[in-house]
Coordinates of all heavy atoms in Angstrom, one line a residue:
M6 N 23.9 36.6 133.7 CA 23.2 37.8 133.8 C 22.8 38.3 132.5 O 23.5 38.2 131.6 CB 24.1 38.9 134.5 CG 24.6 38.6 135.9 SD 25.6 40.0 136.6 CE 24.3 41.1 136.9
K7 N 21.5 38.9 132.5 CA 21.1 39.5 131.3 C 21.7 40.9 131.2 O 22.3 41.4 132.3 CB 19.6 39.6 131.3 CG 18.9 38.4 131.3 CD 17.4 38.5 131.2 CE 16.7 37.2 131.2 NZ 15.3 37.4 131.1
H8 N 21.6 41.5 130.1 CA 22.3 42.8 129.8 C 21.7 43.9 130.8 O 22.4 44.6 131.4 CB 22.0 43.2 128.4 CG 22.6 44.6 128.0 ND1 23.9 44.8 127.9 CD2 22.0 45.9 127.9 CE1 24.2 46.2 127.6 NE2 23.0 46.7 127.6
D9 N 20.4 43.9 130.9 CA 19.7 44.8 131.8 C 20.1 44.6 133.3 O 20.2 45.7 134.0 CB 18.2 44.7 131.8 CG 17.6 45.1 130.3 OD1 18.3 45.8 129.6 OD2 16.5 44.6 130.0
D10 N 20.3 43.4 133.7 CA 20.8 43.2 135.0 C 22.2 43.7 135.3 O 22.5 44.2 136.3 CB 20.8 41.7 135.4 CG 19.4 41.0 135.3 OD1 18.4 41.8 135.4 OD2 19.4 39.8 135.0
V11 N 23.1 43.6 134.3 CA 24.4 44.1 134.4 C 24.4 45.6 134.5 O 25.1 46.2 135.3 CB 25.3 43.7 133.1 CG1 26.6 44.3 133.0 CG2 25.4 42.1 133.1
V12 N 23.6 46.2 133.7 CA 23.5 47.7 133.8 C 22.9 48.2 135.1 O 23.4 49.2 135.7 CB 22.6 48.3 132.6 CG1 22.4 49.8 132.8 CG2 23.3 48.0 131.2
A13 N 22.0 47.5 135.6 CA 21.4 47.8 136.9 C 22.4 47.7 138.0 O 22.6 48.4 138.9 CB 20.1 46.9 137.2
A14 N 23.1 46.6 138.0 CA 24.2 46.3 139.0 C 25.3 47.4 138.8 O 25.8 47.9 139.9 CB 24.8 45.0 138.8
L15 N 25.7 47.9 137.7 CA 26.7 48.9 137.6 C 26.1 50.2 138.1 O 27.0 50.9 138.8 CB 27.1 49.0 136.1 CG 27.9 47.8 135.5 CD1 28.1 48.1 134.0 CD2 29.2 47.6 136.1
K16 N 24.9 50.5 137.9 CA 24.4 51.6 138.4 C 24.3 51.7 139.9 O 24.6 52.7 140.6 CB 22.9 51.8 137.8 CG 22.3 53.2 138.3 CD 21.0 53.5 137.4 CE 20.3 54.7 137.9 NZ 21.2 55.8 138.2
I17 N 24.0 50.6 140.6 CA 24.0 50.5 142.0 C 25.4 50.8 142.5 O 25.6 51.5 143.5 CB 23.5 49.2 142.5 CG1 21.9 49.0 142.2 CG2 23.7 48.9 144.0 CD1 21.4 47.7 142.4
I18 N 26.4 50.1 141.9 CA 27.8 50.3 142.4 C 28.2 51.7 142.1 O 29.0 52.2 143.0 CB 28.7 49.2 141.6 CG1 28.3 47.8 142.2 CG2 30.1 49.4 141.9 CD1 28.9 46.6 141.3
A19 N 27.9 52.3 141.1 CA 28.2 53.6 140.8 C 27.7 54.6 141.8 O 28.4 55.5 142.3 CB 28.0 54.0 139.4
D20 N 26.5 54.4 142.2 CA 25.8 55.3 143.0 C 26.2 55.2 144.5 O 26.4 56.1 145.2 CB 24.2 55.2 142.9 CG 23.7 55.6 141.6 OD1 24.4 56.4 141.0 OD2 22.6 55.2 141.2
K21 N 26.2 53.9 145.0 CA 26.5 53.6 146.4 C 27.9 53.3 146.8 O 28.4 53.4 147.8 CB 25.6 52.4 146.8 CG 24.2 52.5 146.5 CD 23.4 53.4 147.5 CE 22.0 53.3 147.1 NZ 21.2 54.3 147.9
G22 N 28.6 52.7 145.8 CA 30.0 52.3 146.1 C 30.1 51.0 146.7 O 31.1 50.5 147.1
L23 N 28.9 50.3 146.9 CA 28.8 49.0 147.5 C 27.9 48.1 146.5 O 27.1 48.6 145.9 CB 28.1 49.1 148.9 CG 28.7 49.9 149.9 CD1 27.8 50.1 151.1 CD2 30.0 49.2 150.4
A24 N 28.2 46.8 146.7 CA 27.4 45.9 145.8 C 26.3 45.4 146.6 O 26.3 44.3 147.2 CB 28.4 44.7 145.5
I25 N 25.2 46.2 146.7 CA 24.1 45.9 147.5 C 23.1 45.1 146.8 O 22.8 45.4 145.6 CB 23.4 47.3 148.0 CG1 24.4 48.0 148.9 CG2 22.1 46.9 148.7 CD1 23.9 49.5 149.1
N26 N 22.7 43.9 147.4 CA 21.7 43.0 146.7 C 22.2 42.5 145.4 O 21.5 42.2 144.5 CB 20.4 43.7 146.5 CG 19.7 44.1 147.9 OD1 19.9 43.4 148.8 ND2 18.9 45.1 147.8
I27 N 23.6 42.2 145.3 CA 24.1 41.6 144.1 C 24.7 40.3 144.6 O 25.6 40.3 145.6 CB 25.1 42.4 143.4 CG1 24.5 43.8 143.1 CG2 25.7 41.7 142.2 CD1 25.5 44.8 142.5
S28 N 24.4 39.2 144.0 CA 24.9 37.8 144.5 C 26.5 37.7 144.1 O 27.0 38.4 143.3 CB 24.2 36.7 143.7 OG 24.6 36.7 142.4
K29 N 27.0 36.8 144.9 CA 28.4 36.5 144.7 C 28.9 36.1 143.3 O 29.8 36.5 142.7 CB 28.9 35.5 145.7 CG 28.8 35.8 147.1 CD 29.9 36.7 147.5 CE 29.8 37.0 149.0 NZ 30.5 38.2 149.5
D30 N 27.9 35.3 142.7 CA 28.2 34.7 141.4 C 28.1 36.0 140.4 O 29.0 36.1 139.5 CB 27.2 33.8 141.0 CG 27.3 32.5 141.7 OD1 28.5 32.1 142.2 OD2 26.4 31.8 141.8
D31 N 27.2 36.8 140.5 CA 27.1 38.0 139.6 C 28.3 38.9 139.8 O 28.8 39.5 138.8 CB 25.8 38.8 139.9 CG 24.5 38.0 139.5 OD1 24.7 37.0 138.7 OD2 23.5 38.3 140.0
L32 N 28.7 39.1 141.1 CA 29.9 40.0 141.3 C 31.1 39.4 140.5 O 31.9 40.1 139.9 CB 30.1 40.1 142.7 CG 29.3 41.1 143.5 CD1 29.7 41.0 145.0 CD2 29.5 42.5 143.0
Q33 N 31.2 38.1 140.7 CA 32.4 37.4 140.0 C 32.3 37.6 138.5 O 33.3 37.7 137.8 CB 32.4 35.9 140.4 CG 33.7 35.2 140.1 CD 34.9 35.8 140.8 OE1 34.8 36.2 141.9 NE2 35.9 36.0 140.1
N34 N 31.2 37.4 137.9 CA 30.9 37.7 136.5 C 31.4 39.1 136.1 O 32.0 39.3 135.1 CB 29.5 37.4 136.0 CG 29.1 36.0 136.0 OD1 30.0 35.1 135.9 ND2 27.8 35.7 136.1
L35 N 31.0 40.0 136.9 CA 31.3 41.4 136.6 C 32.7 41.6 136.6 O 33.3 42.3 135.8 CB 30.5 42.4 137.5 CG 29.0 42.5 137.3 CD1 28.5 43.4 138.5 CD2 28.6 43.0 136.0
K36 N 33.4 41.0 137.6 CA 34.9 41.2 137.8 C 35.6 40.4 136.5 O 36.6 40.9 136.2 CB 35.2 40.5 139.1 CG 36.7 40.8 139.4 CD 37.1 40.4 140.9 CE 38.6 40.8 141.0 NZ 39.2 40.2 142.1
T37 N 35.0 39.2 136.2 CA 35.6 38.5 135.0 C 35.6 39.4 133.8 O 36.6 39.3 133.0 CB 34.8 37.2 134.9 OG1 34.9 36.5 136.1 CG2 35.4 36.5 133.8
Y38 N 34.6 40.2 133.5 CA 34.5 41.0 132.4 C 35.3 42.3 132.6 O 35.0 43.2 131.8 CB 33.1 41.1 132.0 CG 32.5 39.9 131.4 CD1 31.4 39.3 132.2 CD2 33.0 39.3 130.3 CE1 30.9 38.1 131.6 CE2 32.4 38.1 129.8 CZ 31.3 37.5 130.5 OH 30.9 36.3 130.0
N39 N 35.9 42.4 133.7 CA 36.7 43.7 134.0 C 35.8 45.0 134.1 O 36.2 46.0 133.7 CB 37.8 43.8 133.0 CG 38.9 42.8 133.0 OD1 39.2 42.4 134.2 ND2 39.4 42.5 132.0
L40 N 34.6 44.8 134.5 CA 33.7 46.0 134.8 C 33.8 46.5 136.1 O 33.5 47.8 136.3 CB 32.2 45.4 134.4 CG 31.9 45.0 133.0 CD1 30.5 44.4 132.9 CD2 32.2 46.0 132.0
I41 N 34.2 45.8 137.1 CA 34.4 46.3 138.5 C 35.6 45.9 139.1 O 36.3 45.0 138.6 CB 33.2 45.8 139.4 CG1 33.1 44.3 139.6 CG2 31.8 46.3 138.8 CD1 32.3 43.8 140.7
E42 N 36.0 46.5 140.1 CA 37.1 46.1 141.0 C 36.5 46.0 142.4 O 35.9 47.0 142.9 CB 38.2 47.3 141.0 CG 39.1 47.2 139.8 CD 39.9 45.9 139.7 OE1 40.4 45.4 140.6 OE2 40.0 45.4 138.5
I43 N 36.8 44.9 143.1 CA 36.4 44.7 144.5 C 37.5 45.1 145.4 O 38.7 44.8 145.1 CB 36.0 43.3 144.8 CG1 34.8 42.9 143.8 CG2 35.5 43.1 146.2 CD1 34.5 41.5 143.8
A44 N 37.2 45.9 146.4 CA 38.2 46.4 147.3 C 39.0 45.3 147.9 O 38.3 44.2 148.3 CB 37.6 47.3 148.4
K45 N 40.1 45.4 148.3 CA 41.1 44.3 148.9 C 40.5 44.1 150.3 O 40.2 45.1 151.0 CB 42.5 44.9 149.0 CG 43.1 45.0 147.6 CD 44.2 43.9 147.5 CE 45.1 44.3 146.2 NZ 44.8 43.4 145.2
G46 N 40.4 42.9 150.6 CA 40.0 42.5 152.0 C 38.5 42.4 152.1 O 38.0 42.0 153.1
E47 N 37.7 42.8 151.1 CA 36.3 42.8 151.2 C 35.6 41.8 150.3 O 34.4 41.8 150.1 CB 35.7 44.2 150.9 CG 36.1 45.2 151.8 CD 35.1 46.3 152.0 OE1 33.9 46.1 151.6 OE2 35.5 47.3 152.8
E48 N 36.4 40.9 149.7 CA 35.9 39.9 148.8 C 34.9 39.0 149.4 O 33.9 38.5 148.8 CB 37.0 39.0 148.2 CG 38.0 39.8 147.3 CD 39.1 40.5 148.1 OE1 39.2 40.4 149.4 OE2 40.0 41.0 147.5
N49 N 34.9 38.7 150.7 CA 34.0 37.8 151.4 C 32.9 38.5 152.1 O 32.1 37.8 152.8 CB 34.8 36.9 152.3 CG 35.7 36.0 151.6 OD1 35.5 35.6 150.5 ND2 36.9 35.8 152.2
E50 N 32.8 39.9 152.0 CA 31.8 40.6 152.7 C 30.4 40.4 152.0 O 30.4 40.1 150.8 CB 32.1 42.1 152.8 CG 33.4 42.4 153.6 CD 33.2 42.2 155.0 OE1 32.1 42.4 155.6 OE2 34.2 41.6 155.7
R51 N 29.4 40.6 152.7 CA 28.0 40.6 152.1 C 27.8 41.6 151.1 O 27.3 41.3 150.0 CB 27.0 40.6 153.2 CG 25.6 40.3 152.7 CD 24.6 40.2 153.8 NE 23.3 40.0 153.3 CZ 22.2 40.4 153.8 NH1 22.2 41.1 155.0 NH2 21.1 40.2 153.2
S52 N 28.1 42.8 151.3 CA 28.1 43.9 150.3 C 29.4 44.6 150.2 O 29.6 45.6 150.9 CB 27.0 44.9 150.8 OG 25.7 44.3 150.8
P53 N 30.3 44.0 149.5 CA 31.7 44.5 149.4 C 31.7 45.9 148.7 O 30.9 46.2 147.8 CB 32.5 43.5 148.6 CG 31.3 42.8 147.8 CD 30.2 42.8 148.6
A54 N 32.7 46.7 149.1 CA 33.0 48.0 148.5 C 33.5 47.7 147.1 O 34.5 46.9 146.9 CB 33.9 48.8 149.3
C55 N 33.0 48.3 146.1 CA 33.4 48.2 144.7 C 33.6 49.5 144.0 O 32.9 50.4 144.4 CB 32.4 47.3 143.9 SG 32.1 45.7 144.6
T56 N 34.3 49.5 142.9 CA 34.4 50.6 142.1 C 34.2 50.1 140.6 O 34.6 49.0 140.3 CB 35.8 51.3 142.3 OG1 36.8 50.4 142.0 CG2 35.9 51.9 143.6
L57 N 33.9 51.0 139.7 CA 33.8 50.7 138.3 C 35.2 50.9 137.7 O 35.8 51.9 138.1 CB 32.7 51.5 137.7 CG 31.3 51.5 138.1 CD1 30.4 52.4 137.3 CD2 30.8 50.1 138.0
T58 N 35.5 50.0 136.8 CA 36.7 50.2 136.0 C 36.4 51.2 134.9 O 35.2 51.5 134.6 CB 37.2 48.9 135.5 OG1 36.2 48.4 134.6 CG2 37.5 47.9 136.5
K59 N 37.3 51.5 134.1 CA 37.1 52.4 133.0 C 36.0 51.7 132.0 O 35.1 52.4 131.5 CB 38.3 52.7 132.2 CG 38.2 53.7 131.1 CD 39.5 54.0 130.4 CE 39.3 55.1 129.3 NZ 40.5 55.4 128.7
K60 N 36.2 50.5 131.8 CA 35.3 49.7 130.9 C 33.9 49.7 131.5 O 32.9 49.9 130.7 CB 35.8 48.3 130.7 CG 35.1 47.5 129.8 CD 35.7 46.1 129.6 CE 34.9 45.1 128.8 NZ 35.5 43.8 128.6
G61 N 33.7 49.5 132.7 CA 32.5 49.6 133.4 C 31.8 51.0 133.4 O 30.6 51.1 133.1
K62 N 32.6 52.0 133.5 CA 32.1 53.3 133.4 C 31.5 53.7 132.0 O 30.4 54.2 131.8 CB 33.1 54.4 133.7 CG 33.4 54.4 135.2 CD 34.6 55.4 135.4 CE 35.0 55.2 137.0 NZ 36.2 56.1 137.2
V63 N 32.4 53.2 131.0 CA 32.0 53.4 129.6 C 30.6 52.6 129.3 O 29.7 53.2 128.7 CB 33.0 53.0 128.6 CG1 32.6 52.9 127.2 CG2 34.3 53.9 128.8
M64 N 30.5 51.4 129.8 CA 29.3 50.6 129.5 C 28.1 51.3 130.2 O 27.1 51.3 129.7 CB 29.5 49.1 130.0 CG 28.3 48.2 129.7 SD 28.7 46.5 130.3 CE 27.1 45.9 129.8
L65 N 28.3 51.8 131.5 CA 27.1 52.4 132.2 C 26.7 53.7 131.4 O 25.5 53.9 131.2 CB 27.6 52.7 133.6 CG 26.5 53.4 134.3 CD1 25.3 52.4 134.5 CD2 27.0 53.7 135.8
K66 N 27.7 54.5 131.0 CA 27.3 55.7 130.3 C 26.6 55.4 129.0 O 25.7 56.1 128.6 CB 28.6 56.5 130.1 CG 28.3 57.9 129.5 CD 29.5 58.8 129.4 CE 29.2 60.0 128.8 NZ 30.4 60.9 128.7
A67 N 27.1 54.4 128.3 CA 26.6 54.1 127.0 C 25.1 53.5 127.0 O 24.3 53.6 126.2 CB 27.5 53.1 126.2
N68 N 24.9 53.0 128.2 CA 23.5 52.3 128.4 C 22.5 53.2 129.3 O 21.6 52.8 129.7 CB 23.6 50.9 129.0 CG 24.2 50.0 128.0 OD1 23.5 49.6 127.0 ND2 25.4 49.7 128.1
S69 N 23.0 54.4 129.7 CA 22.2 55.2 130.5 C 21.2 56.0 129.6 O 21.6 56.4 128.6 CB 23.0 56.2 131.3 OG 23.8 55.5 132.2
K70 N 20.0 56.1 130.1 CA 19.0 56.8 129.3 C 19.2 58.3 129.7 O 19.3 58.8 130.8 CB 17.6 56.5 129.6 CG 17.5 55.0 129.3 CD 16.0 54.5 129.3 CE 15.8 53.1 128.6 NZ 16.6 52.1 129.2
A71 N 19.2 59.1 128.7 CA 19.4 60.6 128.8 C 18.2 61.3 129.3 O 17.1 60.9 129.2 CB 19.9 61.2 127.5

């Protein structure tokens, strides 16, 4: 994923609480870098419920345009 794609995905997850239109591979990458947490039992759902970790929130805030 490119940096802009990561920021866009984090914004969607922060706004909706769901991983809408984000591929499984991209979700796994975000989870590997400790940017998101996927809700228990929803790992195999099409749009699983997700939350941002502290690291994910910091990255989103640092890359948001004021």
Side-chain angles (χ1 to χ4, degrees):
M6 289 180 81
K7 292 182 181 178
H8 179 76
D9 294 338
D10 297 335
V11 171
V12 174
L15 291 176
K16 183 164 177 44
I17 291 169
I18 292 169
D20 291 344
K21 308 279 185 192
L23 298 171
I25 300 170
N26 295 328
I27 303 172
S28 72
K29 297 279 186 205
D30 291 335
D31 291 345
L32 281 176
Q33 195 60 41
N34 285 340
L35 293 174
K36 189 172 183 196
T37 301
Y38 291 114
N39 295 321
L40 297 174
I41 64 167
E42 283 293 321
I43 299 174
K45 294 249 188 254
E47 297 215 7
E48 292 87 354
N49 295 322
E50 297 293 323
R51 185 168 178 215
S52 295
C55 298
T56 57
L57 297 180
T58 62
K59 183 176 181 180
K60 185 177 177 181
K62 290 176 187 175
V63 169
M64 183 174 180
L65 180 62
K66 186 174 182 181
N68 290 286
S69 295
K70 298 196 168 59

